[in-house]
């Protein structure tokens, strides 16, 4: 089943065209990694997919429901009520955690399911504690974000996104704010989600991780998808920019 379909996405900031006609499909249970040099448009694509940024042209649908459609050659967003429903299909984990500093870990996770989704408080609390257990943080429910390491904060952020029961989970460079030791903790959690067939789209600069975890890898360069395919196809691609990109990484 197609969980997400994005067609002919274009986006400019002033005179700078950041995305040039990008199309992307995400199927149920698929893990897709998006890689590429800085400024290639990876994060902008994610922000457009999650409605944090508006597109200039293109269409977006989740599970067959159109969030952005074309009318007379113009892209038009769905009405707010419909858009709100569509947004329930996805969650996003940011690179810098974005936790509420004045909320405890437990409140960070339970706040939106209770106040936004209006779900049963008892049930949400139970699920949140199970999620914390899964993240290896069951003893941190009453802590505040400032009392946690970066790796722990990012695991709370993942639990918070999962608490909303999204169909698709997006990650925007989930380890870029972490040192190598803490990076491993977070990648381990994402790997376990992949094993549970969680549908995920991950913008990452962790190449070996992308190679090992992904069903499909997308290499973006200068606002276009330059190479797309299985990890083997992409990492062994003869595409000049891909080879240059990997070469630079290997010399860092």
């Amino acid at each position: 089943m197609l969980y997400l379909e994005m067609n002919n996405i274009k986006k400019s900031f002033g005179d700078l065209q950041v995305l040039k006609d990008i199309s992307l499909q995400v199927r149920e249970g698929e893990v897709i990694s998006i890689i590429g040099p800085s400024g290639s448009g990876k994060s902008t694509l994610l922000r457009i997919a999650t409605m944090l940024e508006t597109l200039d042209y293109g269409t977006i649908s989740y599970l067959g429901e159109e969030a952005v459609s074309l009318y007379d050659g113009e892209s038009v967003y769905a009405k707010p009520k419909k858009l709100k429903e569509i947004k329930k299909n996805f969650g996003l984990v940011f690179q810098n955690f974005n936790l509420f500093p004045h909320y405890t870990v437990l409140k960070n996770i339970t706040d939106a399911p209770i106040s936004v989704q209006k779900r049963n408080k008892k049930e949400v609390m139970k699920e949140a504690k199970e999620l914390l257990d899964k993240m290896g943080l069951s003893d941190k429910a009453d802590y505040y974000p400032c009392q946690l390491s970066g790796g722990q904060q990012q695991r709370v952020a993942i639990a918070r996104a999962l608490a909303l029961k999204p169909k698709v989970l997006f990650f925007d460079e989930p380890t870029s704010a972490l040192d190598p030791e803490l990076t491993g903790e977070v990648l381990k959690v994402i790997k376990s989600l992949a094993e549970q067939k969680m549908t995920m789209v991950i913008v990452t600069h962790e190449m070996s991780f992308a190679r090992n975890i992904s069903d499909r890898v997308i290499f973006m360069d200068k606002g276009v998808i330059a190479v797309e395919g299985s990890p083997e196809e992409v990492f062994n691609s003869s595409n000049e920019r891909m080879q240059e990109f990997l070469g630079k990484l290997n010399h860092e």
Side-chain angles (χ1 to χ4, degrees), residues 34-35 39 45 49 59 76 112 125 133 158 161 165 177 184-185 194 223 249:
I34 302 177
I35 61 172
L45 182 64
T59 64
V76 180
M125 287 292 186
D133 199 31
I158 295 171
K165 300 187 183 247
E185 296 176 6
L249 286 178

Side-chain angles (χ1 to χ4, degrees), residues 34-38 40 42 173 204-205 207 218-221 245:
I34 302 177
I35 61 172
S38 291
S40 58
K42 307 181 300 291
E173 304 251 6
T204 182
H205 59 274
M207 291 304 124
I218 289 170
F219 171 65
M220 284 181 66
D221 183 43
F245 173 65

Side-chain angles (χ1 to χ4, degrees), residues 99-111 125 132 140-148 156 160:
L99 296 173
F100 294 114
H102 55 295
Y103 284 180
T104 62
V105 164
L106 192 63
K107 188 163 169 57
N108 261 289
I109 296 170
T110 57
D111 188 58
M125 287 292 186
L132 279 175
K140 302 282 189 276
D142 298 327
Y143 281 54
Y144 286 88
C146 63
Q147 297 172 295
L148 305 175
V156 173
R160 178 178 64 179

Side-chain angles (χ1 to χ4, degrees), residues 119-174:
R119 281 166 45 205
N120 179 291
K121 188 177 177 180
K122 208 170 150 185
E123 187 187 304
V124 170
M125 287 292 186
K126 181 174 174 282
E127 284 172 12
K129 284 171 180 164
E130 284 165 5
L131 280 169
L132 279 175
D133 199 31
K134 216 186 248 183
M135 300 293 150
L137 296 168
S138 45
D139 57 337
K140 302 282 189 276
D142 298 327
Y143 281 54
Y144 286 88
C146 63
Q147 297 172 295
L148 305 175
S149 71
Q152 289 169 332
Q153 287 188 57
Q154 191 57 297
R155 282 182 282 156
V156 173
I158 295 171
R160 178 178 64 179
L162 287 171
L164 292 165
K165 300 187 183 247
K167 295 273 194 287
V168 186
L169 196 47
F170 292 93
F171 292 87
D172 187 9
E173 304 251 6

